[in-house]
Amino acid sequence: MKTAHEIIWQKKAPDNFIDAGALVIDALNELNEVNLSYLIVKENDDVTGIFSERDYARKVALQGRSSRETRVKDVMSTDLPEVQGNDSVQHCMNLLAEHGRRYIIVRDNGEFEGVITIHDLLREILLHGERALDVRVTRTLIEINERPPRVY
């Protein structure tokens, strides 16, 4: 089974960073620029969390906060699961399912390596089918990604 490192190595090097002290409006512009749903938040060269479209929607827009006055550090997600590079994809999937999250931080001996997203893991499932993991975990990941369930 693949490891977290292998998933990270398949992706391009992350270039979607933002400073924790940046304004949310700047983060939104950066999200648009990099065409991703999340930014990796850094403070003094340390990765401290993720700012996502979901953070904006739930913690800024729905709470009536101003994106021109609110700082990323005040609304970013910080309670993300973390794995080591040699942890298995199955372990990553279990963590996402257990924590109900969409992102996992990958570190190697404490050093930031990258982010694995729920989409990265679902792509792995699609490519490798039942060999990739426990079907129950797959179902939980899909439910996390699509609450409420959608009918296609």
Side-chain angles (χ1 to χ4, degrees):
M1 180 167 294
K2 281 191 174 179
T3 65
H5 265 154
E6 291 174 285
I7 298 292
I8 292 295
W9 292 334
Q10 290 175 351
K11 300 169 70 166
K12 69 178 187 128
D15 61 355
N16 53 325
F17 293 97
I18 193 149
D19 187 82
L23 292 172
V24 168
I25 189 70
D26 297 326
L28 293 173
N29 285 321
E30 184 66 18
L31 281 173
N32 186 49
E33 184 72 26
V34 298
N35 195 29
L36 291 171
S37 63
Y38 71 97
L39 298 173
I40 303 162
V41 182
K42 291 179 89 172
E43 192 164 15
N44 302 325
D45 291 334
D46 292 327
V47 172
T48 56
I50 296 286
F51 174 79
S52 68
E53 293 169 336
R54 181 173 274 206
D55 292 323
Y56 171 73
R58 293 181 176 184
K59 299 174 187 173
V60 179
L62 287 176
Q63 292 184 9
R65 298 170 98 169
S66 169
S67 58
R68 297 187 186 283
E69 296 174 5
T70 305
R71 302 277 173 194
V72 169
K73 65 183 174 184
D74 297 327
V75 294
M76 68 183 185
S77 295
T78 58
D79 55 345
L80 301 169
E82 293 191 7
V83 297
Q84 294 294 310
N86 60 353
D87 285 330
S88 71
V89 168
Q90 179 73 48
H91 178 67
C92 294
M93 292 179 190
N94 289 338
L95 277 178
L96 283 185
E98 178 183 322
H99 292 273
R101 307 305 273 158
R102 294 171 176 244
Y103 307 99
I104 292 179
I105 304 291
V106 180
R107 296 192 189 271
D108 190 24
N109 296 320
E111 294 294 316
F112 175 77
E113 292 273 316
V115 174
I116 293 177
T117 69
I118 193 168
H119 293 115
D120 297 330
L121 297 176
L122 291 173
R123 187 177 307 109
E124 188 67 23
I125 294 165
L126 290 173
L127 290 173
H128 300 288
E130 290 184 11
R131 293 181 299 138
L133 54 104
D134 183 336
V135 174
R136 292 170 303 173
V137 174
T138 305
R139 189 167 294 118
T140 302
L141 288 174
I142 291 169
E143 289 170 3
I144 290 168
N145 195 44
E146 296 188 352
R147 285 192 184 127
R150 296 179 186 158
V151 177
Y152 294 99

